[in-house]
Amino acid sequence: MAAEPEDHPDVQVFDEIRYIEHLVRTAIARKLPVGLTYPQFEVMNLLSRRGDGIAPVDIARALQMTKNGLTNTLQRLAARKLIRVDGCEADGRRKRIWFTAEGRTAYGQSIAALRPKMEGLRDGFTPKEFREALPFLKALRTWLGEKP
């Protein structure tokens, strides 16, 4: 008798990753200020972690977004005055993305709203448990990124 998909640990791992990703997106989206979407939050989070002045192509690559999807997200953030899109001084064809004061405030509000959930997560698992999970997850991501 052939094994059921649920019997395969690789299938179970990807199911768990999918469930976790859905739960994370949902938890974050519920805490965002009205009108801010999860993809917009992801862009703002990247700006906060890497600093202002990132090129859209680098944002798209880091967030695994399509060019069109990112363009739409950046336009919506700019329309809300949460980011500023400037031309690159060195190459007029390139753009750079910058936080505005309003963007930093909205991002700070988002992070403050998420803080209790993150503290609960840290109370539920030890740093050692997180560290032990990282090598496998990083290796899996690397392997998937290298395979066609």
Side-chain angles (χ1 to χ4, degrees):
M1 182 167 143
E4 294 294 317
E6 293 81 22
D7 295 336
H8 295 283
D10 53 332
V11 172
Q12 292 175 350
V13 165
F14 285 107
D15 280 347
E16 291 301 321
I17 290 170
R18 182 176 53 82
Y19 292 137
I20 291 166
E21 193 267 345
H22 173 75
L23 292 169
V24 166
R25 280 180 169 262
T26 301
I28 290 173
R30 287 183 177 154
K31 298 293 184 179
L32 294 177
V34 174
L36 194 65
T37 66
Y38 182 80
Q40 292 168 351
F41 172 79
E42 281 188 309
V43 169
M44 294 171 71
N45 195 42
L46 187 71
L47 285 172
S48 176
R49 288 186 293 123
R50 292 203 183 163
D52 283 329
I54 301 174
V57 68
D58 295 327
I59 295 172
R61 190 175 300 122
L63 299 179
Q64 299 288 305
M65 295 178 80
T66 65
K67 182 180 174 184
N68 289 340
L70 180 63
T71 297
N72 183 287
T73 299
L74 294 177
Q75 288 172 344
R76 291 176 185 268
L77 286 167
R80 292 187 65 187
K81 300 189 183 337
L82 300 177
I83 63 164
R84 188 179 81 242
V85 181
D86 288 340
C88 179
E89 291 179 17
D91 180 351
R93 297 169 296 174
R94 292 183 175 245
K95 304 283 184 210
R96 298 284 178 187
I97 309 304
W98 305 85
F99 256 132
T100 62
E102 294 91 340
R104 288 190 195 287
T105 299
Y107 179 75
Q109 290 170 344
S110 299
I111 293 300
L114 292 168
R115 190 164 288 118
K117 187 77 166 177
M118 289 304 298
E119 288 170 359
L121 178 67
R122 289 182 185 116
D123 289 342
F125 299 92
T126 66
K128 182 180 183 234
E129 289 173 305
F130 283 110
R131 276 193 301 276
E132 288 173 349
L134 281 174
F136 172 73
L137 293 172
K138 286 180 177 183
L140 180 60
R141 176 180 47 85
T142 299
W143 188 90
L144 290 168
E146 293 172 351
K147 302 300 177 190

